[in-house]
């Protein structure tokens, strides 16, 4: 049999039309609005544990947009000017109200609306459909209202305290609890807001969604189950952190416990959470990969 050296025809890539002038104008306008907000948040909300992940979310969101730039600008542009103007006016109103009244939630949220408005005016709804994940992902950089944070934090702190006490009591440690204060031996430790799980929940949920985006899983059921699993994973990770902190304090003293709290507690939280997330993903892989007739390494 003769062999042909001719290669298979390669399909031409979709034509990309780069509206450089419009991109430059929109980029300058967005930076003029975004930079003052980011500088303000860097001195306020982003200095706290519950919003320290926001700069990472912003960087990853724009990286995703840059990575998909060819697809976003491929094909014919179909601007949706009416929808774009509606979203733009709404975003500007949120920005002005948030900026003038010091409402970080509104000011940060307005950036997503303004970015979406620019997409609508530039390329239309097809660009929004292709960029839905980066836009949704940016929600995790929006600071939550203080009232909502306080309403959620206290029940989580109590739950973490109850579970930690039960586990240590089952292990025959001399531990007691009053509210969110744990007493073990001569030491008293209060479960702080950072140990409630709310802060880590949003950080881990965002990282979990980013992980699923990179893995490009096509099963909606698998993605949904993994995203939901991050909620109990976050809770378990915080319980482990509190237990380890209590044990370090009990066996090595209060000074060692405080040193552990500031030096390794956060690292331990994310190590445990990442291990549990990976284990959960492997369990789901054994189910969904087999059902799809695939075998993953």
């Amino acid at each position: 049999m003769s062999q042909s050296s001719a290669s298979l025809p390669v399909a031409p890539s979709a034509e990309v039309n780069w509206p450089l002038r419009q991109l430059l104008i929109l980029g300058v306008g967005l930076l003029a609005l975004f930079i003052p907000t980011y500088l303000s948040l860097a001195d306020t909300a982003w200095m706290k544990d519950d919003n320290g992940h926001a700069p990472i979310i912003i960087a990853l969101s724009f990286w995703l947009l840059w990575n998909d730039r060819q697809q976003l600008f491929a094909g014919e542009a179909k601007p949706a000017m009416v929808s774009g103007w509606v979203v733009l006016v709404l975003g500007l109103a949120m920005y002005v109200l948030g900026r003038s009244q010091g409402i970080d939630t509104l000011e940060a949220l307005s950036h997503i609306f303004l970015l979406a408005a620019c997409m609508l005016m530039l390329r239309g709804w097809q660009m929004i459909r292709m960029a839905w994940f980066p836009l949704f992902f940016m929600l995790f950089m929006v600071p939550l209202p203080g009232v909502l944070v306080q309403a959620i934090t206290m029940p989580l702190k109590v739950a973490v305290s109850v579970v930690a006490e039960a586990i240590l009591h089952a292990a025959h440690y001399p531990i007691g609890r009053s509210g969110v204060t744990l007493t073990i031996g001569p030491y008293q430790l209060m479960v702080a807001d950072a140990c409630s799980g709310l802060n880590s929940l949003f950080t881990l949920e965002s990282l979990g969604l980013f992980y699923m985006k990179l893995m490009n899983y096509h099963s909606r059921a698998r993605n949904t189950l993994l995203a939901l699993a991050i909620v109990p994973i976050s809770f378990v990770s915080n319980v482990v952190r509190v237990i380890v902190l209590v044990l370090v304090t009990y066996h090595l003293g209060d000074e060692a416990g405080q040193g552990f709290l500031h030096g390794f507690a956060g690292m331990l939280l994310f190590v445990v959470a990442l291990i549990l997330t990976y284990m959960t993903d492997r369990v789901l892989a054994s189910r969904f990969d087999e059902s799809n007739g695939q075998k993953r390494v």
Side-chain angles (χ1 to χ4, degrees):
M1 295 178 63
S2 62
Q3 294 180 346
S4 174
S5 60
S7 59
L8 295 175
V10 178
S13 59
E15 181 181 355
V16 179
N17 300 313
W18 299 102
L20 297 180
R21 180 180 178 184
Q22 293 92 326
L23 285 174
L24 179 61
I25 295 174
L26 291 175
V28 172
L30 290 175
L31 287 176
L33 293 175
F34 288 4
I35 290 179
T37 298
Y38 294 161
L39 291 177
S40 299
L41 291 174
D43 292 329
T44 54
W46 292 355
M47 295 292 291
K48 303 176 182 178
D49 291 336
D50 50 351
N51 290 295
H53 62 279
I56 300 175
I57 299 298
I58 295 171
L60 291 177
S61 298
F62 282 104
W63 179 83
L64 288 170
L65 290 173
W66 174 259
N67 194 51
D68 294 337
R69 63 191 183 280
Q70 297 287 343
Q71 292 82 358
L72 293 176
F73 288 94
E76 179 184 358
K78 298 179 180 179
M81 300 305 296
V82 175
S83 301
W85 275 107
V86 171
V87 177
L88 179 66
V89 171
L90 179 60
L92 287 175
M94 295 170 63
Y95 178 84
V96 171
L97 180 60
R99 186 72 177 170
S100 62
Q101 302 302 314
I103 307 175
D104 293 339
T105 301
L106 278 181
E107 189 176 356
L109 186 62
S110 69
H111 291 185
I112 304 174
F113 283 81
L114 294 173
L115 189 58
C118 292
M119 292 181 178
L120 288 170
M121 293 181 175
L122 199 62
R123 304 289 297 179
W125 283 104
Q126 72 270 20
M127 192 176 195
I128 294 292
R129 285 191 290 269
M130 287 186 288
W132 75 268
F133 183 83
L135 292 175
F136 171 77
F137 192 65
M138 289 185 72
L139 288 173
F140 288 94
M141 68 92 175
V142 178
L144 292 175
V147 175
L148 179 62
V149 172
Q150 291 300 321
I152 299 176
T153 296
M154 182 53 68
L156 286 175
K157 288 168 61 175
V158 173
V160 169
S161 305
V162 170
V163 175
E165 179 204 15
I167 293 174
L168 290 172
H169 181 75
H172 306 292
Y173 278 94
I175 189 168
R177 182 183 63 86
S178 176
V180 295
T181 301
L182 298 175
T183 302
I184 183 166
Y187 304 106
Q188 284 189 336
L189 300 93
M190 184 179 70
V191 177
D193 292 350
C195 297
S196 67
L198 180 62
N199 304 338
S200 57
L201 173 61
F202 281 90
T203 304
L204 293 174
E205 191 70 43
S206 62
L207 293 178
L209 292 175
F210 185 74
Y211 169 79
M212 287 186 286
K213 174 67 174 178
L214 292 182
M215 297 302 292
N216 196 27
Y217 294 142
H218 297 290
S219 172
R220 292 184 178 180
R222 178 178 182 169
N223 290 334
T224 301
L225 289 174
L226 186 56
L228 292 176
I230 294 175
V231 177
I233 285 173
S234 174
F235 180 82
V236 171
S237 302
N238 276 280
V239 171
V240 171
R241 175 167 67 169
V242 170
I243 290 175
V244 173
L245 176 60
V246 171
L247 292 177
V248 169
T249 302
Y250 178 69
H251 289 289
L252 301 178
D254 184 65
E255 184 176 350
Q258 291 299 317
F260 170 82
L261 176 64
H262 295 290
F264 301 102
M267 186 183 302
L268 174 66
L269 167 73
F270 286 102
V271 168
V272 173
L274 289 175
I275 292 174
L276 292 177
T277 301
Y278 180 77
M279 292 173 59
T280 304
D281 185 39
R282 291 301 88 202
V283 171
L284 293 174
S286 65
R287 166 65 178 87
F288 287 95
D289 289 351
E290 290 178 1
S291 65
N292 293 331
Q294 300 174 351
K295 184 177 180 181
R296 284 185 177 272
V297 180

